[in-house]
Amino acid sequence: MREHQLNRAFAALADPTRRAIIARLAAGEATVMELAEPFAMTQPAISKHLKVLEGAGLISRGRVAQTRPCRLQPGQLKEVAQWITAYRTLWEHSFDRLDDFLKD
């Protein structure tokens, strides 16, 4: 299940509009209309992006009166960051070994 969620998170983050939405939500929760403002697309198009992000576990949507504020879900972002960190560490170690080899 974890790998499936990780795949969904990376697929969701592959889109620049969804990454921009994540960046905006890093500053705090926002409504769909607030999230749609900077984009040249319709509110239904933004809602589709939000459904993808929500399905990937990257955001959640609440309900306050007639608004649906969106907020980041840091747990799934932490999983993505941990996966990337593991591979970054592997590559850094490989480059360090290559650097040592080239110095000799």
Side-chain angles (χ1 to χ4, degrees), residues 27-46:
E29 69 178 41
T31 65
V32 175
M33 294 307 292
E34 290 170 336
L35 292 170
E37 276 180 26
F39 300 103
M41 61 180 66
T42 64
Q43 183 271 331
I46 291 293

Side-chain angles (χ1 to χ4, degrees), residues 10-71:
F10 276 113
L13 293 170
D15 185 275
T17 299
R18 292 192 284 265
R19 288 194 307 272
I21 290 170
I22 292 288
R24 165 53 186 90
L25 291 174
E29 69 178 41
T31 65
V32 175
M33 294 307 292
E34 290 170 336
L35 292 170
E37 276 180 26
F39 300 103
M41 61 180 66
T42 64
Q43 183 271 331
I46 291 293
S47 290
K48 286 182 182 181
H49 284 292
L50 293 174
K51 283 183 183 181
V52 171
L53 291 169
E54 189 173 25
L58 297 169
I59 68 165
S60 64
R61 293 193 278 182
R63 185 173 298 276
V64 177
Q66 292 185 0
T67 63
R68 303 266 335 246
C70 301
R71 66 190 62 79

